Amino acid sequence: MTATTGLRVLVVDDHDVVHWGFRLLLDRQSWVESCDGAAGLQEAVEFAANLRPDVALIDLMLGADSGAEACSAIREVSPNTKVLLISGAGRISPAVARSAGASGFISKDWGAADVVKAVRMIALGSEVFAEGGPGDSVGLSDREREVLGLIATGATNREIAGNLFLSPHTVKEHTSAIYRKLGVRNRAEAVRSAQGLGLLG
Amino acid sequence: MTATTGLRVLVVDDHDVVHWGFRLLLDRQSWVESCDGAAGLQEAVEFAANLRPDVALIDLMLGADSGAEACSAIREVSPNTKVLLISGAGRISPAVARSAGASGFISKDWGAADVVKAVRMIALGSEVFAEGGPGDSVGLSDREREVLGLIATGATNREIAGNLFLSPHTVKEHTSAIYRKLGVRNRAEAVRSAQGLGLLG
DNA sequence: CGTCAAACCCCCCAAAAGGGGGGTGCGAAT
DNA sequence: ATTCGCACCCCCCTTTTGGGGGGTTTGACG
């Protein structure tokens, strides 16, 4: 639905449990085409060079290696790969993560659904830098919030258009923007997400 | 979407404000084809006989006439018309309302959205008898709740089918049942409604 | 001054949704 | 003993959705 073609994901983590956990989690998503894993920096760079993954999930504590290093190394051999850094215990400043070329930074204790959503948002071009937790300030425009409210009432795009005196196509563009910003695929999930974020009454 | 053809609604109320309020409210709904009004019993019966409305909204306090009487009278001349009784202040037992042939009974201080929803639910064949308020115990089956939960994650019917080892078509029947029971037209509204009813985590 | 994002409009397309009809079997209730 | 809700399967159909292009204007911000 979002994905015209599935995403290729690379998981880099030296702990087998984490590593396989993510792979099982992501392989289950219909928009994930393939999900491979690497245990160390060298292996990760090889994979990245060959597979050109869309997203790389990199653990910050890569044994002897640093996650930030791995991030730079991967983006050197595969510049189109978006990197999502994952912290176990330690913290990292968004600035450091950004300068390493990462598109996002999350904590390992996020729920599975939120991690999955973060991967999707990054693949779609958003950045995810967690300060306090998932879903801080999504930054919908006024119009988008208005459309979102009508979506939640079950209105079709045509009805929304009639209500707001717009063309149905413009409404679709707003909905697309909403989905992108919320990291969501469709109306139903958008409503759920919006409720969780307190964007709806 | 729900309506292959729009609903015809008749509003019976001797207070002009209420009367027009409902008409304005309902005319705005895309699934309402026409919405006429009558001020008294006789007028109401005439309208019902000619227009054969799908739903009649009847005020309980019809001046000298009783709303329950009007209900019986209307269903005599137009048996397919579903009747929704509306109480201003007074209360009526569901038993009395049922024996008069009403499909539902609500209070005037319900929110606009809930009244609209009640009309739709009745038109779809459900009964709406308010005890404590709108949306008491919708009575989804286990399977339906399961499907609803997946809908809220943005899953498509095909994905739900894969997850629950069903055919996509069976999933669609569950979704239809969910929509009917919640008085809702589509996934987005179902998610919103379910949240409000506490059916989702 | 340019630039950028928001908001609006048009075209196209494939996929999904939603509703209609038909059917089966089960178990619980009347 | 028959009815009713639940769960499951098949066919058909139209509408809606979501994404892909392309474009304009406006107003804010540097």
Side-chain angles (χ1 to χ4, degrees), chain B residues 1 141-144 166-167 169-170 173-174 181:
Chain B
M1 160 157 255
S141 73
D142 292 345
R143 209 40 155 180
E144 286 157 359
L166 302 176
S167 91
H169 190 264
T170 299
E173 300 201 355
H174 288 311
K181 290 182 181 177

Side-chain angles (χ1 to χ4, degrees), chain B residues 20-194:
Chain B
W20 282 105
F22 278 123
R23 291 189 56 180
L24 286 174
L25 181 63
L26 291 167
D27 265 333
R28 204 171 352 170
Q29 308 302 318
S30 61
W31 43 274
V32 170
E33 181 187 312
S34 69
C35 185
D36 296 285
L41 208 164
Q42 269 113 356
E43 198 184 350
V45 171
E46 277 176 43
F47 267 120
N50 295 332
L51 301 173
R52 301 293 175 119
D54 299 288
V55 179
L57 281 163
I58 306 181
D59 187 1
L60 260 184
M61 313 296 277
L62 261 185
D65 311 318
S66 136
E69 260 177 68
C71 176
S72 316
I74 285 179
R75 288 188 53 83
E76 204 149 314
V77 296
S78 175
N80 288 328
T81 298
K82 312 283 180 57
V83 173
L84 178 58
L85 290 174
I86 307 164
S87 76
R91 243 188 165 15
I92 192 180
S93 79
V96 173
R98 274 181 220 269
S99 67
S103 303
F105 172 74
I106 64 173
S107 161
K108 230 175 238 174
D109 46 45
W110 278 28
D114 292 318
V115 172
V116 167
K117 193 174 288 186
V119 171
R120 193 157 64 199
M121 291 184 68
I122 282 189
L124 294 171
S126 299
E127 295 200 328
V128 178
F129 286 98
E131 301 294 343
D136 265 333
S137 82
V138 276
L140 295 186
S141 73
D142 292 345
R143 209 40 155 180
E144 286 157 359
R145 253 191 304 281
E146 205 169 4
V147 170
L148 181 54
L150 288 169
I151 284 178
T153 70
T156 66
N157 287 338
R158 183 173 312 169
E159 287 166 354
I160 295 171
N163 249 291
L164 302 179
F165 303 102
L166 302 176
S167 91
H169 190 264
T170 299
V171 175
K172 292 214 295 184
E173 300 201 355
H174 288 311
T175 62
S176 294
I178 292 167
Y179 301 155
R180 183 170 32 75
K181 290 182 181 177
L182 293 180
V184 135
R185 292 182 296 162
N186 50 41
R187 326 196 132 213
E189 197 181 358
V191 170
R192 176 122 169 90
S193 175

